[in-house]
Amino acid sequence: LVKSGTTWHTAGLLWQLRPSDTEVELLAHTRNVISSELEEETGLETGWIQNGGLFIASNKQRLDEYKRLMSLGKAYGIESYVLSPAETKDLYPLMNVKDLYGTLYVPKDGTMDPAGTCTTLSRAATARGATVIENCPVTGIQVKVDDLGIKRLKAVETAHGTIQTPCVVNCAGVWATKLGKMAGVNVPLIAMHHAYVVTERIEGIQNMPNVRDHDASVYLRLQGDALSVGGYEQNPIFWEDVSSDLSALNGAYSLIKSERYLVFFILFFCFPPESFTADHKPLMGEAPEVRGFFLGCGFNSAGMMLGGGCGKELAHWIIHGRPEKDMYGYDIRRFHHSLTNNNRWIRERSHESYAKNYSVVFPFDEPLASRNMRKDPFHQVQPVSYVSLSPFEPLAQDVFVLQEQGCVFQERHGWERPGWFNRDGPAPILDYDYYSAYDVPKNTDYKYSEILGKEYTFDFPPHHDVIRDECLTCRNAVAVFDMSYFGKFYLTGPDAKKAADWLFTADVNKAPGSTVYTCMLNKRGGVESDLTVSRLEPSPAHLPLTPESNGEAYYLAIGGGVAQHNWSHIQAVLQDQGFHCTLIDHTEDMGMISIQGPKSRELLQEVLDSDLSSDAFPFSTHKIVNAAGHKVRAMRLSFVGEMGWELHIPKESCLPVYHAVRAAGAKYGICNAGYRAIDSLSIEKGYRHWHADLRPDDTPLEAGLAFTCKMKTSIPFLGRKALEAQKAEGLRRRIVCFTVDEKVPMFGLETIFRNSVPVGHLRRSEFGFAIDKTIGYGYIRNPDGGVVSPDFVRSGEFTLERMGVTYKATAHLKSPFDPENKRVKGIYG
């Protein structure tokens, strides 16, 4: 379902380089379709003009960002050059370059004609059997409930009749929210005025490249012998109710003065509506509320350039159930259901993403809008007291809680999770001030914002030494991590065992009390999630620690940033296979802390009433135990490569248990640690990080996780056939660990060279403090298209390119830290 909302006024720009490998690939597909494939198929021109693209940098940080893009482009064969101001002047003589720091020039960027492109696409579609019906308004959408209680699309009602269909794609742009409501689907986008102007004729502008001046928040598109100029302001105008009739939009004469781009008259200006989303990414995929209702909207002024690649992926999504590429960043399921119908969250986050659209993309940036939406029990002191239940418990005013201890929070999936701990005291997050737009008073003395501002760098951030201390305390003593934002699900019911066998790659049907690290796959063998699954004792004990069940029961702990995605994936598999079982979400009812390090056993032995020796409580097992008078589920696991336990705690018991751990840990030198430390510790140990070095377009075999797959059994599981075929054929790409001896920060997207030939790029990189080196993980390919064997890795000489500079790297097929895996087993010394 398509509504012509923004295509008619789009600039039609196509830039090839973005700070995302998936987006680079999507843009490459669009470019191929528009520049050659469509014309070859239809004989019609799309209006493609390859006049190049020029990114303007007014400071070092901006040019560093462009250098990162240039290096990533080498992994994809995209030609680009960093130019000096003088070189820029030679390329674009009309530009005033006095205040330039440098530019990035991409010769094969260009523009497409929106009308010509759409006409050609329509012609190609009808030639292949599609029917295009114009002037046919949708008046309603019918949804049915099947025998399992699942809502499914039934039909689309129009002014000219009803169309029976099991599938519809909502491509209605700023009207997508209204269309979604017809089916009971939340579409979290908002309409804003997005203006552009067209200048009079400018002598000498012909054949100049298109320009993006991010620091000035403006773009200049070549339009014959004139320019089309647009940009992003801090105070966009919200369009509260977008009419279906936009004929009132008109233009006028005006004058623009720009010291960089000279003075020119405007012949026309336009301020149509455009749809924007909470993270400036499109909304795609099947809606979690209704099966068969797909989204393809919210493209944030990038619909033309992303449309080709996204259209292909959406078609694959509909036909095969999943896209080919990693589209999680666009999947509607990336947002928790509690947010997608929250008007405050949609409005604030969409405003901030609009206002920051041209901001430098720094590694450690966090949003300021709509924070504190989901907080766990450890976040801050509540203004109530509770009764002391053990000698460990203090009164409320003495409770150790994270905000009061200087926690600098990160936002993930609406949750406030600990990032790291500031030594200068609390840094609370305040209500959003819209960057002082709309007469909203600006937040003053905003410590959290000031801390973020200091982190805006492509060098080691100022908190680098704090992360080091958190990591080394974990390696040498003991640290406590609040991981409460993890998704916590129970799988129960008569078919729970069948469902577990099919869903999970590992054999999770071991003895009750076992906990297994496993993956969930799609049909193509791609990893939809990694998680731990604990088999529970059949018991009528009360939730949330143990569910009542008339069959097998399993407890699933899943990284919180992807909990909604995984909930939807599991539900879809259960529905498609017809399994009679129930998935129960107890994420909000429980907290979770992880106590890790060589001293963890000694510490917890003083808090828990259970024998924690390796014989009594081995690795990958769990028990319900008492902690300071409270029942908790203790799991012996580690995401950082140390001996340690997770405590999964009912919400009302979280603070007493946390305080008991902190009190007992004082003599062992315990410290709080956050996810920045987890990122470093986990990459040092070689653990995967979902949606970084483990994604739906990666298989367990490619990712070095073959040990999680029950391939030696005869038990079928989702994706097994694809893995068997891949194993027989041999791996065409493989994940490899790289270390760099030089003290240089890397963050991912750095290009990997083998024998001076690009073979991939880093997906993830951190500094490893125990080995005192930069560590990166990336998937490499054989340039000849052959198998990537261990010998192929061992025989190559590798370098990594960071911002145009190459560094010698050492390739590892095993983790460079504790490769024998002794520490998680409690073997130290």
Side-chain angles (χ1 to χ4, degrees):
L1 303 179
V2 178
K3 173 70 179 178
S4 179
T6 60
T7 303
W8 65 270
H9 64 76
T10 182
L13 293 161
L14 194 150
W15 320 94
Q16 296 179 86
L17 293 176
R18 306 268 280 204
S20 159
D21 57 348
T22 297
E23 291 190 356
V24 168
E25 293 171 10
L26 294 173
L27 291 167
H29 180 77
T30 300
R31 186 183 180 283
N32 290 338
V33 169
I34 300 302
S35 65
S36 60
E37 292 178 7
L38 265 180
E39 185 173 348
E40 291 171 3
E41 181 173 335
T42 66
L44 299 177
E45 294 185 0
T46 61
W48 170 254
I49 300 173
Q50 185 176 294
N51 58 319
L54 191 64
F55 286 3
I56 307 298
S58 299
N59 54 68
K60 181 181 182 301
Q61 288 181 328
R62 181 68 74 179
L63 194 61
D64 284 347
E65 180 184 40
Y66 294 164
K67 289 177 180 178
R68 278 173 54 78
L69 296 179
M70 177 188 68
S71 289
L72 174 63
K74 293 180 181 180
Y76 288 96
I78 297 174
E79 181 184 1
S80 66
Y81 307 93
V82 171
L83 306 181
S84 68
E87 291 170 323
T88 303
K89 185 71 173 179
D90 291 339
L91 177 67
Y92 204 120
L94 296 182
M95 187 175 294
N96 182 349
V97 300
K98 286 191 300 183
D99 60 344
L100 284 192
Y101 201 87
T103 58
L104 177 67
Y105 176 50
V106 187
K108 294 182 181 179
D109 284 353
T111 60
M112 65 193 91
D113 171 55
T117 298
C118 290
T119 299
T120 309
L121 282 169
S122 178
R123 180 74 63 85
T126 54
R128 294 190 181 198
T131 300
V132 179
I133 305 173
E134 299 185 82
N135 300 312
C136 184
V138 174
T139 58
I141 294 178
Q142 297 178 13
V143 174
K144 65 180 180 180
V145 179
D146 67 15
D147 294 340
L148 296 176
I150 308 304
K151 292 183 179 180
R152 297 183 182 275
L153 193 87
K154 180 182 179 183
V156 176
E157 299 171 353
T158 79
H160 305 293
T162 299
I163 303 170
Q164 301 294 323
T165 176
C167 177
V168 67
V169 184
N170 182 352
C171 299
V174 293
W175 296 275
T177 299
K178 293 182 179 180
L179 196 66
K181 287 180 179 178
M182 293 180 183
V185 170
N186 294 321
V187 183
L189 57 76
I190 197 164
M192 299 181 195
H193 291 267
H194 184 55
Y196 74 92
V197 300
V198 179
T199 73
E200 65 177 353
R201 182 179 184 277
I202 301 174
E203 186 62 41
I205 201 71
Q206 296 84 352
N207 301 318
M208 290 297 101
N210 303 308
V211 173
R212 245 186 180 179
D213 190 336
H214 292 91
D215 295 315
S217 196
V218 67
Y219 67 80
L220 288 78
R221 174 198 188 273
L222 187 67
Q223 191 157 318
D225 56 4
L227 290 174
S228 174
V229 184
Y232 295 84
E233 62 279 10
Q234 295 266 318
N235 58 341
I237 300 172
F238 291 97
W239 199 313
E240 303 296 348
D241 186 18
V242 183
S243 169
S244 60
D245 181 8
L246 300 181
S247 61
L249 298 176
N250 54 35
Y253 290 93
S254 185
L255 176 72
I256 278 188
K257 183 177 182 181
S258 168
E259 293 184 358
R260 177 169 295 158
Y261 307 113
L262 309 179
V263 178
F264 47 80
F265 280 95
I266 300 171
L267 289 182
F268 175 83
F269 74 83
C270 184
F271 45 92
E274 172 64 283
S275 58
F276 293 91
T277 64
D279 56 2
H280 219 72
K281 302 293 183 186
L283 305 176
M284 295 180 61
E286 190 174 36
E289 297 95 338
V290 177
R291 298 296 303 273
F293 190 98
F294 286 81
L295 300 178
C297 52
F299 277 82
N300 304 274
S301 299
M304 288 298 288
M305 73 173 84
L306 288 172
C310 287
K312 179 187 178 186
E313 294 304 313
L314 191 53
H316 202 279
W317 216 324
I318 294 167
I319 296 169
H320 300 287
R322 289 298 303 150
E324 287 187 292
K325 299 187 185 303
D326 167 39
M327 299 296 287
Y328 174 74
Y330 291 6
D331 192 333
I332 181 62
R333 298 175 300 172
R334 70 189 184 271
F335 299 133
H336 191 259
H337 63 81
S338 66
L339 303 176
T340 56
N341 65 347
N342 186 306
N343 289 332
R344 175 200 156 199
W345 177 81
I346 296 169
R347 191 180 186 90
E348 290 186 0
R349 288 293 293 271
S350 297
H351 170 268
E352 186 176 32
S353 69
Y354 181 102
K356 293 180 66 175
N357 181 46
Y358 277 3
S359 297
V360 177
V361 180
F362 288 108
F364 304 120
D365 195 13
E366 294 290 331
L368 296 175
S370 285
R371 296 295 297 269
N372 296 319
M373 301 298 287
R374 304 174 76 193
K375 296 187 289 187
D376 66 48
F378 306 106
H379 186 273
Q380 65 188 107
V381 171
Q382 302 299 317
V384 294
S385 298
Y386 54 82
V387 178
S388 178
L389 298 178
S390 83
F392 290 117
E393 294 187 30
L395 296 176
Q397 61 264 27
D398 297 323
V399 173
F400 290 107
V401 284
L402 303 186
Q403 181 170 286
E404 283 69 22
Q405 295 180 84
C407 183
V408 178
F409 288 97
Q410 302 173 331
E411 187 274 340
R412 299 293 185 273
H413 214 47
W415 284 106
E416 298 294 327
R417 76 173 192 181
W420 53 284
F421 286 81
N422 177 39
R423 293 166 178 162
D424 297 328
I429 299 169
L430 306 180
D431 289 342
Y432 186 50
D433 63 3
Y434 285 90
Y435 294 90
S436 69
Y438 317 117
D439 298 321
V440 177
K442 182 178 178 60
N443 288 325
T444 57
D445 300 320
Y446 193 178
K447 190 172 182 179
Y448 181 82
S449 179
E450 293 170 0
I451 289 172
L452 285 186
K454 294 176 182 177
E455 306 305 307
Y456 290 166
T457 178
F458 292 109
D459 203 338
F460 289 119
H463 70 260
H464 189 65
D465 60 334
V466 179
I467 306 302
R468 176 198 64 208
D469 292 348
E470 292 179 13
C471 290
L472 294 182
T473 299
C474 181
R475 290 280 184 243
N476 299 320
V478 62
V480 56
F481 301 88
D482 173 18
M483 304 176 73
S484 299
Y485 94 121
F486 261 47
K488 309 170 195 74
F489 306 151
Y490 289 99
L491 180 65
T492 70
D495 289 343
K497 182 181 184 300
K498 292 180 183 177
D501 281 340
W502 182 250
L503 276 166
F504 307 124
T505 58
D507 184 2
V508 299
N509 284 300
K510 300 182 183 298
S514 63
T515 297
V516 178
Y517 173 68
T518 183
C519 295
M520 289 191 294
L521 309 183
N522 52 47
K523 292 179 182 178
R524 296 174 58 248
V527 180
E528 292 291 333
S529 176
D530 66 330
L531 67 158
T532 59
V533 178
S534 300
R535 189 177 177 194
L536 306 181
E537 291 276 3
S539 170
H542 68 281
L543 289 166
L545 287 179
T546 306
E548 296 183 12
S549 176
N550 59 356
E552 299 293 341
Y554 305 86
Y555 177 57
L556 284 53
I558 305 173
V562 295
Q564 182 73 52
H565 167 89
N566 289 309
W567 172 271
S568 298
H569 173 74
I570 295 170
Q571 291 282 32
V573 172
L574 297 181
Q575 294 162 15
D576 293 343
Q577 295 297 315
F579 291 129
H580 293 280
C581 47
T582 303
L583 188 65
I584 309 168
D585 186 356
H586 276 276
T587 302
E588 308 279 352
D589 302 323
M590 301 175 68
M592 192 252 278
I593 55 176
S594 182
I595 299 90
Q596 301 287 325
K599 301 295 184 181
S600 61
R601 177 184 280 141
E602 295 173 70
L603 184 164
L604 287 174
Q605 197 64 78
E606 299 180 23
V607 178
L608 308 183
D609 67 349
S610 180
D611 181 357
L612 301 183
S613 67
S614 291
D615 290 337
F617 207 141
F619 186 71
S620 285
T621 61
H622 67 92
K623 297 179 182 180
I624 291 180
V625 300
N626 287 304
H630 299 263
K631 285 192 179 298
V632 306
R633 186 179 303 280
M635 297 185 183
R636 188 169 172 191
L637 295 170
S638 179
F639 286 101
V640 297
E642 297 295 333
M643 178 175 65
W645 281 259
E646 294 175 1
L647 303 182
H648 296 243
I649 313 167
K651 189 174 183 178
E652 63 274 9
S653 300
C654 283
L655 286 182
V657 172
Y658 172 73
H659 179 71
V661 169
R662 286 300 308 264
K667 61 178 173 287
Y668 299 108
I670 193 172
C671 79
N672 285 308
Y675 271 84
R676 287 288 293 112
I678 290 177
D679 289 342
S680 171
L681 293 163
S682 63
I683 199 172
E684 197 168 46
K685 185 62 186 73
Y687 294 155
R688 300 290 170 263
H689 190 298
W690 200 85
H691 204 237
D693 49 10
L694 189 62
R695 308 190 311 201
D697 53 344
D698 305 320
T699 73
L701 306 186
E702 295 167 340
L705 297 178
F707 69 91
T708 68
C709 301
K710 48 184 178 252
M711 304 290 281
K712 294 181 180 179
T713 75
S714 59
I715 303 172
F717 59 88
L718 181 58
R720 175 168 184 149
K721 290 182 179 179
L723 296 190
E724 289 174 338
Q726 186 180 57
K727 184 178 180 181
E729 182 184 279
L731 298 181
R732 303 293 165 165
R733 64 182 191 133
R734 177 189 297 269
I735 198 167
V736 177
C737 172
F738 298 95
T739 56
V740 177
D741 291 337
E742 297 182 57
K743 299 296 189 297
V744 56
M746 294 185 181
F747 307 105
L749 302 184
E750 292 80 9
T751 295
I752 304 166
F753 292 85
R754 179 185 181 273
N755 299 342
S756 302
V757 177
V759 292
H761 65 276
L762 294 186
R763 288 272 197 86
R764 178 184 175 209
S765 185
E766 298 283 345
F767 193 82
F769 294 98
I771 67 172
D772 199 32
K773 293 179 180 180
T774 294
I775 307 169
Y777 275 82
Y779 290 81
I780 67 170
R781 296 181 180 273
N782 189 326
D784 298 331
V787 171
V788 181
S789 65
D791 285 341
F792 178 84
V793 177
R794 296 188 192 100
S795 62
E797 293 186 3
F798 290 91
T799 56
L800 304 177
E801 180 174 315
R802 170 190 181 269
M803 297 193 298
V805 180
T806 58
Y807 298 87
K808 186 176 181 180
T810 301
H812 305 266
L813 291 170
K814 287 188 175 182
S815 165
F817 176 80
D818 188 25
E820 296 179 356
N821 215 32
K822 291 182 177 180
R823 297 171 76 94
V824 297
K825 301 172 184 175
I827 303 172
Y828 290 92

